[in-house]
Amino acid sequence: MKFRGKIVDVACLNHFTRVVTTISKLTKMCVLRLTPDNLFFVLSEKVANGGVSMWCELSQANFFDEYQMEGVSPEDNEICLEVTPENLSRALKTVQSAKSVKVKLTKKHCPCLTIAAELPTLSSTSRVVTHDVPVDVIPRRLWHEFREPSVPDFDVSIYLPPLKTMKNVVDRMKNLSNFLVIEANLNGEMNLKIETDLVSVTTHFKDLGNPPWGDDASQGGGPSQSRDQDSMAEARVDVRRLQQFLMGQQVNPSKAMCNIVHQRVLHLILLHEDVSLQYFIPAVA
Amino acid sequence: MNCVLDGNCVKAFGKAIHALSRVGDELWLDPTVKGLALRSVNSAHSAYACFLFAPMFFHQYNLGSALEQGSETIKCKLVMKSVLPLFRCLTSIERNVKQCEISIGTPCDRVMIRFFCRHGITKTHSVSFQESEALQAVFASHLCPNVLKAPARLLCDMVRHFPVSQEEITLSMSPLKVSLRNYFEGAKDHLKTMYTEMSLHPDEFDYFQVGVDSGITFCLKELRGLLAFAESHCLPVSVHSGAAGRPVCFSVEDMVVEATVVLATLIDSESRGPSQPTETLAPPTPRCVDAAALPVGYCDAHSNIPHDTAAGTELVASSQGSPIINSALMQLLPQTDIPNELCVPDEACHSASTTPASTTICSLLFRALSSDQDDPGLPVLAGYSDGEENMEDDDYPRSPQL
């Protein structure tokens, strides 16, 4: 197993760092899957037990100037590593001014992802800083747990309001209740509701727009066809999970949307030019 | 004692207090003829910091009537928690405070800090103090084999790569390069600990002298304050060190202020020379966390033998019964016969005074100043694994090795 990548462009390094930082805010540990074309940050807690799952896909060509990898075997040309994204994020954050950053899979006292940065200095020689981030190699037999999740048979798909606004609302609601109901319909309306013995609060968003899934939506018979435009699909979720997702976002995505499977799962999708992030929050009764 | 600082200087003063707060919980104020010294030491006595502001730094500096009476000026020990909040927000101090007056008055046991702010507002803070003997460190930097001098920027940049929570780092020096690595003792949790290493070329330093290849491990936290201070004043930082186990001294000086931080280093018998590959990450055998206990100081004008510490040591019986701060931070050089130039006469405390701006002498006398020698015994600085101050122990002082 070998992996060696090099980032030279400052903007790419910056973007990559921000992605890793976002991931680090969402989870303490996750799996990094490396394939010849992509990098994936995957988290899959047991959804049945109320765990969230996350899937973040990056196209390597958009970040790395050089990228070479050799997977476990020619048929399974992939590498799966368990890593603490916060370590990666810390290492990357300190080398933002580097001339080049190499990320390599190495074996030091344990398998590591080594981040070696070449920093500019006043003298002729450059300074090299290395950070060794320990990782755990995931054996092939467990790889099935980290497959790309399929888009669920959602009932409603809707664009999210500006994340900052949503975050503010959710932050306030968190003080009042542990659970929040998110509901939306195909008319571009979304409500965030909490209800306790003493008080119930609802925030309404209008004119959000619904993403046209088109032919892809044929799974559920096409929500746009068979569904009443005003009927709301809802999911009651743990407000802290939602808040954690919103808190971590560092950059405004080009597209942010969510799919709601009525009383089952909330599927949040953020799209950038070169990164996509999906986050699944299960609904609770 | 009474002194007045102008607006710009208050910020520098505040920065010094911030730096000192990173070291210890108590702040010693020692007004002397050479200037106002602010000092702090951590509870384990493995770190000491001193900021000496020359009289020129102040708009006005009066030692007050104490001088006229011939007695020594009052030295006070303040609780850092009561002083730090006054200087917490430096940006607002910079904007609002026009002048700051500090006075120590004998009649009431209080230090008065008065801020004259804009719009005619005056804020007066009265902080109580304990009268205490001053505390200084003995450190013969001119005896250090390794001397580095670098712009603060460089050191700050290097240190920035380590997370704020990083406790200790190892600085390795050889004639070819200088490297910094973080230090972990024990294999706590492999998956969590990230190892960082970087190296610097001798060319990057303003002054580079490596007499002894060494790798010293010291606590980074206590140093950050000084580096921040140095960077804000764009001053170069000098690093004096020796082999592992010897204390390391970081100092900064300019016309009006001299700052020093002395840190104890770990005694590490492993030959983890700087040329070793980074693969040697096998955790070192755990050893006494608290490093070379700052060896008990002595100042015996007659003795040249470093180990003879018993007789003639200046001990401090603090006038108010405060703990005897007697730890002396000193270079013990058993193998050489360098005459002990650390001995200084009793009264004259060559505290970080008018040291020439070279790397030669930066001797700080680390002992309590007193002419009383009530206590013949020698308190021992015990190993600080539990952080207790072992003040009352009369045993023969242990050498740094366990």
Side-chain angles (χ1 to χ4, degrees), chain B residues 153-330:
Chain B
R153 194 84 241 245
L154 179 70
L155 290 182
C156 281
D157 277 348
M158 280 171 65
V159 153
R160 205 167 40 90
H161 289 99
F162 297 95
V164 174
S165 58
Q166 178 66 44
E167 293 267 345
E168 283 143 354
I169 57 173
T170 303
L171 171 70
S172 307
M173 286 181 269
S174 81
L176 295 175
K177 69 172 182 171
V178 169
S179 71
L180 266 188
R181 212 189 11 265
N182 60 350
Y183 174 84
F184 284 95
E185 50 166 63
K188 268 182 283 207
D189 190 348
H190 266 212
L191 213 53
K192 298 282 187 291
T193 57
M194 189 168 86
Y195 287 91
T196 303
E197 166 153 10
M198 72 200 71
S199 51
L200 294 168
H201 195 268
D203 284 349
E204 299 189 66
F205 292 89
D206 293 343
Y207 182 87
F208 185 86
Q209 170 193 311
V210 174
V212 168
D213 281 13
S214 67
I216 48 175
T217 302
F218 52 87
C219 190
L220 182 58
K221 273 192 183 161
E222 285 138 0
L223 180 59
R224 284 186 194 261
L226 178 75
L227 291 181
F229 182 86
E231 194 177 8
S232 65
H233 291 251
C234 299
L235 294 170
V237 178
S238 305
V239 185
H240 296 260
S241 66
R246 303 258 177 269
V248 56
C249 171
F250 295 85
S251 58
V252 158
E253 61 194 334
D254 76 355
M255 294 264 291
V256 293
V257 64
E258 286 168 30
T260 319
V261 169
V262 185
L263 300 171
T265 64
L266 268 188
I267 307 154
D268 190 341
S269 61
E270 286 187 358
S271 56
R272 278 223 257 160
S275 50
Q276 288 213 339
T278 42
E279 274 73 15
T280 52
L281 289 170
T285 40
R287 47 187 81 249
C288 164
V289 173
D290 291 316
L294 307 184
V296 178
Y298 69 94
C299 182
D300 186 344
H302 314 295
S303 169
N304 274 350
I305 306 166
H307 286 298
D308 178 2
T309 53
T313 310
E314 311 290 350
L315 285 197
V316 190
S318 161
S319 49
Q320 304 243 314
S322 50
I324 296 177
I325 314 291
N326 195 6
S327 36
L329 181 62
M330 202 180 63

Side-chain angles (χ1 to χ4, degrees), chain B residues 2-274:
Chain B
N2 177 288
C3 64
V4 177
L5 296 118
D6 271 336
N8 318 335
C9 302
V10 182
K11 191 173 178 194
F13 196 77
K15 270 220 150 88
I17 296 192
H18 280 230
L20 288 160
S21 70
R22 297 222 193 198
V23 172
D25 294 328
E26 287 169 330
L27 178 67
W28 271 261
L29 273 187
D30 183 10
T32 68
V33 176
K34 309 242 162 45
L36 179 64
L38 301 173
R39 301 195 177 95
S40 187
V41 72
N42 72 351
S43 52
H45 284 236
S46 56
Y48 160 88
C50 169
F51 280 75
L52 178 68
F53 292 96
M56 248 191 343
F57 177 77
F58 301 92
H59 186 69
Q60 261 178 53
Y61 184 75
N62 301 317
L63 281 179
S65 53
L67 248 197
E68 294 153 26
Q69 291 164 13
S71 63
E72 295 198 352
T73 50
I74 298 180
K75 301 161 197 21
C76 357
K77 183 169 75 158
L78 303 164
V79 175
M80 189 65 77
K81 269 205 273 214
S82 27
V83 180
L84 184 61
L86 306 181
F87 294 92
R88 165 102 47 210
C89 187
L90 294 173
T91 39
S92 83
I93 285 185
E94 197 180 5
R95 265 191 310 218
N96 296 328
V97 174
K98 292 195 294 195
Q99 267 196 347
C100 169
E101 182 188 343
I102 303 179
S103 49
I104 306 176
T106 348
C108 45
D109 281 342
R110 295 197 162 240
V111 171
M112 190 192 63
I113 303 178
R114 193 172 265 165
F115 292 104
F116 296 94
C117 310
R118 286 191 323 173
H119 310 304
I121 299 175
T122 306
K123 298 188 206 173
T124 309
H125 303 269
S126 192
V127 182
S128 60
F129 67 84
Q130 241 185 333
E131 201 170 320
S132 162
E133 296 306 329
L135 147 105
Q136 285 168 292
V138 171
F139 186 79
S141 12
H142 59 285
L143 297 176
C144 288
N146 298 340
V147 181
L148 300 172
K149 191 162 176 185
R153 194 84 241 245
L154 179 70
L155 290 182
C156 281
D157 277 348
M158 280 171 65
V159 153
R160 205 167 40 90
H161 289 99
F162 297 95
V164 174
S165 58
Q166 178 66 44
E167 293 267 345
E168 283 143 354
I169 57 173
T170 303
L171 171 70
S172 307
M173 286 181 269
S174 81
L176 295 175
K177 69 172 182 171
V178 169
S179 71
L180 266 188
R181 212 189 11 265
N182 60 350
Y183 174 84
F184 284 95
E185 50 166 63
K188 268 182 283 207
D189 190 348
H190 266 212
L191 213 53
K192 298 282 187 291
T193 57
M194 189 168 86
Y195 287 91
T196 303
E197 166 153 10
M198 72 200 71
S199 51
L200 294 168
H201 195 268
D203 284 349
E204 299 189 66
F205 292 89
D206 293 343
Y207 182 87
F208 185 86
Q209 170 193 311
V210 174
V212 168
D213 281 13
S214 67
I216 48 175
T217 302
F218 52 87
C219 190
L220 182 58
K221 273 192 183 161
E222 285 138 0
L223 180 59
R224 284 186 194 261
L226 178 75
L227 291 181
F229 182 86
E231 194 177 8
S232 65
H233 291 251
C234 299
L235 294 170
V237 178
S238 305
V239 185
H240 296 260
S241 66
R246 303 258 177 269
V248 56
C249 171
F250 295 85
S251 58
V252 158
E253 61 194 334
D254 76 355
M255 294 264 291
V256 293
V257 64
E258 286 168 30
T260 319
V261 169
V262 185
L263 300 171
T265 64
L266 268 188
I267 307 154
D268 190 341
S269 61
E270 286 187 358
S271 56
R272 278 223 257 160

